[in-house]
Structures are given as structure tokens and as C-alpha cells.
Amino acid sequence: MSVTVSLVTWRSRRFLPDCLASVRAQGDLVADVLVADNVSRDGTPLLLRREFPEVSLSILDRNRGYAVAHNHNFARSRGAYFLALNPDVVLARGALAHMVRALEGDPGVGAVSARLLSPGGVRLDSAGIAPTPGRTRFVDRGRGALAARYDLEEDVFGACGAAALYRSAALRSVARPGETPFAERFFMYYEDVDLAWRLRRAGWRTRYVPRARCTHVRGGSGASPAFVEYHLVRNRLWLSLRNASARELLRELPGLALFEGVKCLQAVRRPHVRAALSDQVAGIRASLAERRAAAPGR
């Protein structure tokens, strides 16, 4: 079965040679490599055309973020599987084959999360997505722990979007109007959790495959801490309003109230948090409308 590799770039030139060399090393599993560039000014397009002619490059009209760019690539993909890959990730040799094997071996699996390692390979960057105990946030499972502690292949809540392999049919099954399949209003951050939640509600499972080893440098987006926090705060409530069942919402209320309360206090001294909370409230109606437009289960 063939894989479409999708990368979203924005000032990612310094990471691309190692990332794309590792994609080449995956062999014939790769049907095509699609890059959607958010108008980088660092020479990314020139590098790709000169050193990686096999890549199909699209330059968007402006910086449209992670979700829109991956949707752009998905619309023109031809693989049975779709690998959302960050430019600051390097795949170990054979990693993609292990991920594909997990999908081919179980038709109920809609997504696979790789074992993402921090540089050096000793500490874990992500073993999939998991909610915190109070469900205030969704985080990378095991981040910072010794990688050897996460050797068990198992089902997880969702796949970390830095290196997530999806069954293309599963992505099509959870598409909502205006987003195919990533949540474009999120721009970036929590869009992988949103997609994971929709896959779960539609009956698909996500599998963590530790033999699929990758190294995640982090920092490939070039985003400032304030930019990151703005989107994490703004998108958190939208995430639950769009996806949580009534029972899940009741269970999340204490954690969400705590999260929102802390951010309200921080907003006094952080203008970007204040802006995030304001924009979050403005987007509640749209989030509820998107909840009603959820695709039915398979």
C-alpha cells in the first residue's frame, strides 16, 4: 500500500535536508511527497527544487497555518495512507514500514503514532496524545521520560501530529464541511487532538507503534512562545465544544474551569492570553455549529 507524505513548511529550510533524506530512505512505500509552503522567505522553495526534485511543491498565497496546508496536500494526495510529518522530524530507517504494517494488520486502526524521540534518543518526545488526569489539557504522552519505558505497542487517544500516519479512508470518513480533514479554524495546535477525537467518535482506533522510531528536534515552526500560547489557549475550549459528548463535557467541566480561571488571571499581564480568551469566546457559536455538523460514525 502506498503512502503520501505531507509536509507543511514555514521558514523550515534548515530542517528539510535531514527530514527529506529520511523520507527517501523509506523506499518504495512512498508514493509521493507533497509540501505546502506558507510563503517562506528563507529559501525553502529554492532548496526543494534544487535538491529534492521528487517533491511536489505548492506555495500558498499567505501563511495559512498547519491545518489548511495539510488539507491542501490531502486534497491532491494519491496514497492509501497519509503521513503528516513535521519538517523537524527525522524518520529512522524502516519506521514507515512499521507504521504501515500496523494499519494493514488491523482494519479498525485509523491512525498510527510513531515513537518520537528527543535528540540523542534517550528521552521521549511523544508516545501519542493523552489527556491530563484532570482533562485540563491534552499532552504528549511520556514526554521527557526515558524512552525505554514506552516499549509497549498499544492503543492511545490519538497520534501526535509531528509524525502521524492516517488511513486516507478514515480521514475522509470524519471530514466536516469546510475542513478536509484538519480543523482549519484552529490554524495550528490542538488540530491533531481534534482529529484524533473525531476518529475515536467515528469508531477508529489509534495505535502507538514504538518500533517506528523518529527524532523530533522541535522548533520547526519558528513560532514564538506567545504565538504558541495564544493558540493553545484559544483552541482548548473549541476542542471540547466540537467533540465532547454530553457526559464527557460534564467530566471535563472542573478541569476546563480551572484552566480558564488560571488563564483569566494570567491575562492581566499577558496581552496575548487576553486576546486568546476574547477570540475563544467569539468562536463558541461556530464551535457549536461544527459540533452539529459532525460526520456520523462509520
Side-chain angles (χ1 to χ4, degrees), residues 113-117 124-129 140-141 143 160 208:
S113 195
R115 174 163 25 192
L116 287 161
L117 303 169
L124 194 67
D125 179 82
S126 178
I129 294 167
D140 288 303
R141 197 171 67 105
R143 186 176 178 190
C160 172
Y208 165 62

Side-chain angles (χ1 to χ4, degrees), residues 55-282:
V55 168
S56 176
L57 171 65
S58 291
I59 300 177
L60 305 183
D61 59 341
R62 63 181 186 276
N63 185 359
R64 291 182 171 270
Y66 177 95
V68 169
H70 271 312
N71 283 345
H72 176 82
N73 284 343
F74 185 66
R76 60 196 187 105
S77 68
R78 54 191 177 90
Y81 305 127
F82 185 82
L83 178 67
L85 185 67
N86 278 13
D88 57 358
V89 170
V90 175
L91 303 169
R93 190 175 295 272
L96 189 57
H98 289 302
M99 298 172 83
V100 168
R101 197 170 295 123
L103 288 172
E104 291 186 338
D106 189 335
V109 174
V112 171
S113 195
R115 174 163 25 192
L116 287 161
L117 303 169
S118 296
V122 176
R123 296 285 175 178
L124 194 67
D125 179 82
S126 178
I129 294 167
T132 58
R135 294 183 76 91
T136 56
R137 296 177 298 133
F138 289 79
V139 297
D140 288 303
R141 197 171 67 105
R143 186 176 178 190
L146 290 173
R149 291 175 52 192
Y150 287 80
D151 278 340
L152 177 65
E153 181 174 320
E154 58 187 324
D155 286 357
V156 293
F157 181 92
C160 172
L165 183 65
Y166 299 99
R167 193 183 300 274
S168 295
L171 294 182
R172 287 191 289 270
S173 77
V174 298
R176 285 174 173 166
E179 52 184 51
T180 53
F182 294 89
E184 298 191 352
R185 201 159 53 86
F186 281 40
F187 191 82
M188 63 190 302
Y189 301 115
Y190 275 135
E191 76 295 312
D192 53 354
V193 186
D194 178 85
L195 179 54
W197 210 332
R198 281 185 282 139
L199 288 168
R200 288 171 65 85
R201 293 196 69 186
W204 297 100
R205 297 178 4 254
T206 298
R207 194 77 172 162
Y208 165 62
V209 178
R211 296 182 71 187
R213 297 167 65 90
C214 311
T215 300
H216 188 197
V217 178
R218 287 194 179 261
S221 70
S224 69
F227 180 91
V228 173
E229 186 174 26
Y230 166 86
H231 287 89
L232 288 174
V233 172
R234 186 196 65 177
N235 295 349
R236 176 61 191 93
L237 181 61
W238 293 357
L239 174 72
S240 291
L241 291 180
R242 283 165 50 93
N243 296 295
S245 66
R247 181 176 297 179
E248 287 172 326
L249 271 177
L250 285 174
R251 192 173 70 207
E252 287 196 3
L253 275 178
L256 279 173
L258 175 62
F259 178 84
E260 296 291 323
V262 168
K263 294 305 172 184
C264 284
L265 292 174
Q266 293 175 346
V268 175
R269 294 183 176 273
R270 299 184 187 177
H272 64 277
V273 174
R274 194 158 56 246
L277 291 173
S278 175
D279 292 346
Q280 181 190 82
V281 171

Side-chain angles (χ1 to χ4, degrees), residues 39-51:
V39 198
S40 297
R41 304 297 185 191
D42 63 349
T44 288
L46 179 63
L47 170 76
L48 292 174
R49 290 171 179 139
R50 184 179 64 236
E51 299 187 21

